[in-house]
Amino acid sequence: MHQEIKTTPSGDMVINVGPQHPSTHGVLHLLITLNGETIVNLDPNIGYIHRSIEKMCESLSYRQFIYTTSRMDYLSSHMNNHACALTVEKGLQIEVPERAEVIRVIISELTRLASHQLWWGSMAMDLGALSPFFYAFREREMITDIMEETCGARLTMNYVVPGGVMMDLHPDFQKKVKAFIVQFKSKIGEYHDLVTGNIIFQNRTKGIGMLSKEDAISYGVTGPAARGSGLSCDIRKLYPYATYQKLQFNEILETAGDSFARYMVRMREMEESVSIIEQLIDNIPEGEFQAKTKAVLKLPKGEFYTRIETARGELGVYLVSEGGTTPYRIKFRSPGFSNLSALNHMIKGHKMGDLVAVMGTLDLVIPDIDR
Amino acid sequence: MSKLKAPWQKMENDALLNSLQTSFPDAACAIGSDWPEIDIDGSDLLTLIQKLRYDEQWTFDYLFCETCVDWKTHFTMVYHLSSTKHRHSVVLKAKLDHDKPQIESLVGFYKTADMLEREVYDLMGIEFLNHPDLRRLLLTEDWVGYPLRKDYEDPINMIRL
C-alpha cells in the first residue's frame, strides 16, 4: 500500500504505524504526528478486528453467548467466561458448588500466568531481545498442555459454564500443576537475570511513559498498568468474587508510574498467582462440579453487572434482560479499551523508539479492544 | 458459598442511597441489582456529575462503564461511577429521545469518556454535546446507520440465529 507522507500545517510529519506492524500484536493502527523523532500526537485508529460481539450476543442464548467472549481477550479467555457465567448465575441466583469455584480460581490463575508469560516474552522481543520469548514459552507450554487436557483447547478455553465448569478435572491435573509450579519457581530467577537486571532494558523503560495515579483514574486505566502507578484496583481484593476472599495474597503496587514499574508489577504478580494455586491445589473439595440448571436458561427481567480481574485489568459485563432466553443488550467493559485511551497521554514528548516500550507494558490485546 | 450479595455491600448501598436521597430530593433514587441507581433528566447531567465528582462525601472519580440501551421508544444512557476513595458505586440513567438523541459529554470530568462516548456515538448514534472530537471509532467514516440499534438492518453482514 503506497501512501504519501502527510505533513501538518506546522511542518510535523504524520505517519502510520500498523495496522500490520509487529509491535502492535494485532491489527492496531496508530496515526502518529512526529516533530523530528518526537511524538507530538498519537491517534489510535481501531476497529480492524471489530466483530460486533455485543450485537451477536443479542441473538445467542445464555449458554451460547459465553463462547464468543473467549474471542475477546484470547489470553484471558477463561476469565472472560468466568465473568459471563457469574452474571448469569447472579440473575438466576444459582449457588455454585464449592468444587467448581475452586477449579475456576485455579484455572483463572493459570491463565493469568500464561498471559503474563506471553507478555513478558513478547515485550522483551519488541525491545530487541529475542531469546526471552523462548524461555517464556518453555513454561507457558506446560500450562497450555494442562489446559488442553482439562478442557480440550489450548487458546480459547471454553471451560466455564453457568453453574460450574463443563467437566470434571482429569486425574493427573494436580500432579501436572505441581510439576509446573516446581518448574516455574526454579526458572523465575532466569527471567530476572535475562531481562529485569539488564541495563539496556532498564534504560529503555525507566522514566518512560509516565502515568500519574490521578490520570490513571481519570483514563479508567486498570490492572497491572494502573497498579504500576500506585492505584489500588485489584477487583479480586476490592470486590472479591468466587473464593478470593478466603485466600492469602497481596495486591502488588509500585509507585513509580513508568514502564519499568508496570513491568515489575506483572513479574511480581506471577509469583502471587503461583502462591494462590499452591494454597488451593491440595484443597480441592470433593463434590459436584456443576450445579443442576434447567436446559433452557431464562434470566428474570432486570440488569446485572459483574466486575472481574482479568490479566489486563477490570472486565465488566453489563447485561440487560427482558425475561427472554437471550440478552436484550450486553456491554463488555474491556480493560484494553480504556488502557489504550491513555496511550496518547503517556507517549507525548517521547521518542518514536519508546513507543514499543510503552505499548509493551500496557499489554494491549487488540481483539479485546475492538470486541 | 457464592454470596449473591455480601452483607457489607448492602449496608454500604443503604448508606449511600440515604445520602443521595437527602441531597437530591427531586431525583428518583432506588437500589438496583447491585448499586443505587438514579434516574435523571439528560439536562441535569452536568450539575449532578459536578456534585458527585467533587463533593467530599462521594468523590465518584472513576467512570468504569458508560453505555447506552436502545428501548425502541427511547434510549437510556447508563453511567457506572465508582469512587477510588470510598469504594462505593452508583449508576446514573438518563432517558433520551429516540428521534434526536442528545446528551452532554462527560469528557471534562473523566478523560476515559472520550473514547467511550465515541464508541457509543459510533454504534448507537447518540450525539454528545461539547465532545472535543466526536467521530466514528470502530467503523469506517462512510458507514451508514448505527449497528447496535434494534432497528438496524444489514442483509449481508448480519447473521440471524
Side-chain angles (χ1 to χ4, degrees):
Chain A
M1 266 200 316
H2 172 75
Q3 199 166 12
E4 267 179 46
I5 293 171
K6 287 184 198 152
T7 48
T8 62
S10 55
D12 295 339
M13 187 165 66
V14 182
I15 62 158
N16 295 295
V17 172
Q20 301 285 340
H21 189 272
S23 80
T24 58
H25 300 290
V27 275
L28 174 65
H29 178 196
L30 302 171
L31 266 171
I32 300 177
T33 313
L34 282 175
N35 182 350
E37 216 185 323
T38 309
I39 295 173
V40 182
N41 191 40
L42 180 148
D43 180 22
N45 192 348
I46 61 174
Y48 286 89
I49 192 163
H50 176 62
R51 294 142 296 176
S52 208
I53 286 181
E54 289 171 11
K55 183 84 176 175
M56 251 176 355
C57 288
E58 287 175 12
S59 55
L60 294 173
S61 79
Y62 288 112
R63 286 195 191 280
Q64 292 170 329
F65 89 97
I66 291 178
Y67 304 120
T68 62
T69 61
S70 305
R71 277 82 182 161
M72 292 198 309
D73 179 356
Y74 51 81
L75 293 175
S76 311
S77 52
H78 181 84
M79 281 92 108
N80 296 347
N81 298 163
H82 195 173
C84 296
L86 283 173
T87 318
V88 175
E89 283 154 14
K90 193 186 264 181
L92 289 170
Q93 310 248 321
I94 299 173
E95 287 277 326
V96 180
E98 206 167 338
R99 183 177 173 82
E101 291 215 320
V102 171
I103 294 173
R104 282 176 177 185
V105 171
I106 294 175
I107 302 269
S108 277
E109 294 309 315
L110 282 173
T111 315
R112 194 183 313 276
L113 274 164
S115 168
H116 283 2
Q117 277 169 345
L118 180 72
W119 156 82
W120 178 76
S122 58
M123 188 209 164
M125 193 168 67
D126 291 346
L127 292 176
L130 193 64
S131 33
F133 198 73
F134 301 104
Y135 285 80
F137 266 65
R138 181 185 56 195
E139 273 81 61
R140 192 176 182 273
E141 192 63 21
M142 294 181 81
I143 299 181
T144 32
D145 280 347
I146 294 169
M147 294 296 177
E148 192 179 4
E149 274 187 84
T150 312
C151 45
R154 291 166 69 85
L155 192 68
T156 47
M157 291 85 84
N158 301 312
Y159 188 47
V160 180
V161 294
V165 292
M166 195 179 266
M167 56 206 126
D168 211 349
L169 293 174
H170 59 93
D172 277 350
F173 181 78
Q174 277 151 306
K175 203 176 93 195
K176 292 212 162 168
V177 172
K178 279 176 191 166
F180 161 75
I181 290 174
V182 172
Q183 163 85 0
F184 180 80
K185 281 189 157 178
S186 68
K187 299 295 182 194
I188 183 82
E190 272 185 12
Y191 290 26
H192 289 298
D193 290 346
L194 267 170
V195 177
T196 315
N198 188 315
I199 193 72
I200 302 170
F201 175 75
Q202 291 198 1
N203 285 342
R204 287 198 65 181
T205 48
K206 278 190 177 168
I208 302 293
M210 298 297 285
L211 181 71
S212 70
K213 190 177 167 182
E214 289 68 36
D215 283 328
I217 299 171
S218 184
Y219 278 107
V221 179
T222 48
R227 291 197 281 279
S229 305
L231 172 64
S232 164
C233 61
D234 195 331
I235 305 293
R236 293 176 294 171
K237 273 275 180 206
L238 300 175
Y239 313 100
Y241 52 92
T243 60
Y244 280 110
Q245 67 227 57
K246 292 181 181 171
L247 297 166
Q248 298 287 323
F249 66 101
N250 300 316
E251 180 177 6
I252 308 294
L253 289 178
E254 297 269 344
T255 47
D258 58 0
S259 294
F260 191 71
R262 292 189 282 277
Y263 169 86
M264 281 313 287
V265 169
R266 287 201 185 82
M267 295 308 278
R268 289 168 60 199
E269 242 182 44
M270 285 202 245
E271 291 169 42
E272 289 300 321
S273 292
V274 168
S275 131
I276 292 175
I277 298 169
E278 277 179 326
Q279 289 171 48
L280 291 174
I281 193 69
D282 282 323
N283 303 313
I284 304 176
E286 293 295 320
E288 294 286 312
F289 59 89
Q290 206 183 94
K292 289 220 162 30
T293 47
K294 284 181 188 159
V296 179
L297 301 179
K298 268 189 183 177
L299 256 68
K301 201 173 168 178
E303 295 171 10
F304 310 96
Y305 196 100
T306 310
R307 304 168 86 173
I308 206 169
E309 183 79 15
T310 75
R312 254 141 229 95
E314 177 184 337
L315 172 75
V317 179
Y318 175 59
L319 196 154
V320 182
S321 166
E322 274 282 84
T325 52
T326 59
Y328 184 74
R329 166 91 170 94
I330 202 156
K331 153 88 185 166
F332 297 108
R333 184 258 183 234
S334 67
F337 188 84
S338 302
N339 290 4
L340 175 71
S341 68
L343 183 61
N344 184 22
H345 169 77
M346 290 157 79
I347 199 65
K348 262 184 199 167
H350 284 302
K351 298 277 183 285
M352 188 65 194
D354 296 328
L355 178 68
V356 284
V358 177
M359 265 173 40
T361 49
L362 275 180
D363 196 9
L364 301 172
V365 165
I366 313 306
D368 178 39
I369 297 166
D370 287 355
R371 280 158 289 137
Chain B
M1 181 79 183
S2 68
K3 295 252 164 34
L4 294 166
K5 198 173 262 180
W8 55 267
Q9 193 183 349
K10 194 182 172 303
M11 263 170 61
E12 200 184 79
N13 278 348
D14 289 346
L16 179 62
L17 185 70
N18 257 331
S19 75
L20 289 170
Q21 270 168 341
T22 14
S23 307
F24 310 110
D26 301 338
C29 306
I31 292 275
S33 62
D34 297 279
W35 303 295
E37 292 181 359
I38 315 176
D39 281 321
I40 56 163
D41 193 66
S43 54
D44 297 338
L45 181 72
L46 287 189
T47 45
L48 199 80
I49 289 283
Q50 173 79 27
K51 282 185 190 150
L52 291 175
R53 169 72 181 82
Y54 293 107
D55 197 318
E56 280 294 312
Q57 58 172 323
W58 297 307
T59 330
F60 286 110
D61 50 2
Y62 171 32
L63 174 73
F64 64 93
C65 189
E66 175 176 356
T67 190
C68 183
V69 184
D70 181 4
W71 290 104
K72 291 175 188 158
T73 51
H74 63 275
F75 289 102
T76 308
M77 276 301 294
V78 187
Y79 302 88
H80 286 80
L81 300 166
S82 192
S83 166
T84 55
K85 192 176 161 201
H86 304 295
R87 299 289 169 207
H88 51 210
S89 307
V90 73
V91 185
L92 296 189
K93 286 184 181 171
K95 209 170 157 181
L96 306 182
D97 184 46
H98 202 281
D99 298 326
K100 203 179 174 208
Q102 279 183 333
I103 196 159
E104 284 288 333
S105 164
L106 290 190
V107 177
F109 297 94
Y110 308 99
K111 288 173 187 163
T112 178
D114 186 350
M115 264 172 67
L116 286 169
E117 282 172 1
R118 276 179 67 191
E119 189 196 331
V120 174
Y121 165 73
D122 191 359
L123 302 176
M124 276 285 189
I126 311 292
E127 192 190 337
F128 291 93
L129 306 168
N130 301 319
H131 188 288
D133 184 24
L134 198 64
R135 59 201 158 89
R136 284 198 184 262
L137 180 67
L138 295 159
L139 306 175
T140 50
E141 286 294 334
D142 54 356
W143 196 277
V144 181
Y146 304 102
L148 274 185
R149 286 192 181 183
K150 290 285 175 188
D151 56 3
Y152 181 78
E153 285 296 336
D154 185 338
I156 299 163
N157 296 311
M158 237 156 98
I159 303 162
R160 291 202 184 278
L161 295 168

